[in-house]
C-alpha cells in the first residue's frame, strides 16, 4: 500500500477517477484484492487530515482546486 496524506477544508472535493487507457480488468482486480481506504483524521480549526491508502501499482495524483462551499439561498416566501 502507498499512503498519501493531506489536509482539506469544508467544501473541498475529493474525486477518484480512472485515467484513459487503464485496463479496467486490472483496476477491478486491484480494488477487489486491496481496495482503497480513505481515513479522515482529526479536525482542527475547520481543517481535516485526510489519508488515502491505495495499492502500490495505482497511480495517485493530487490535483488541488479551490471550491467555495455551497451557500443557502434565502427563502423569499
Amino acid at each position: 500500500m502507498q499512503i498519501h496524506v493531506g489536509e482539506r477544508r469544508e467544501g473541498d472535493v475529493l474525486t477518484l477517477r480512472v485515467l484513459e487507457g487503464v485496463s479496467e480488468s486490472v483496476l477491478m482486480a486491484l480494488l477487489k484484492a486491496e481496495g482503497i481506504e480513505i481515513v479522515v483524521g482529526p479536525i482542527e480549526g475547520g481543517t481535516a487530515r485526510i489519508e488515502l491508502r491505495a495499492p502500490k501499482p495505482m497511480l495517485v495524483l493530487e490535483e488541488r482546486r479551490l471550491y467555495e462551499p455551497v451557500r443557502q439561498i434565502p427563502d423569499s416566501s
Side-chain angles (χ1 to χ4, degrees):
M1 280 283 187
Q2 57 181 313
I3 299 174
H4 295 265
V5 178
E7 293 183 351
R8 297 292 181 266
R9 287 183 260 163
E10 181 179 353
D12 286 354
V13 176
L14 300 175
T15 304
L16 299 176
R17 273 186 236 159
V18 178
L19 296 176
E20 210 169 299
V22 171
S23 166
E24 290 182 20
S25 60
V26 171
L27 174 65
M28 290 309 295
L30 280 171
L31 288 174
K32 285 180 181 178
E34 299 183 52
I36 294 175
E37 298 174 350
I38 300 172
V39 180
V40 179
I43 301 170
E44 296 177 10
T47 299
R49 179 173 177 246
I50 303 291
E51 183 175 301
L52 177 88
R53 301 175 188 163
K56 283 188 178 185
M58 288 187 162
L59 174 64
V60 177
L61 302 173
E62 181 177 351
E63 181 179 326
R64 302 290 302 236
R65 284 192 232 166
L66 298 176
Y67 289 93
E68 288 188 32
V70 176
R71 296 186 182 151
Q72 295 289 341
I73 299 172
D75 187 8
S76 60
S77 55

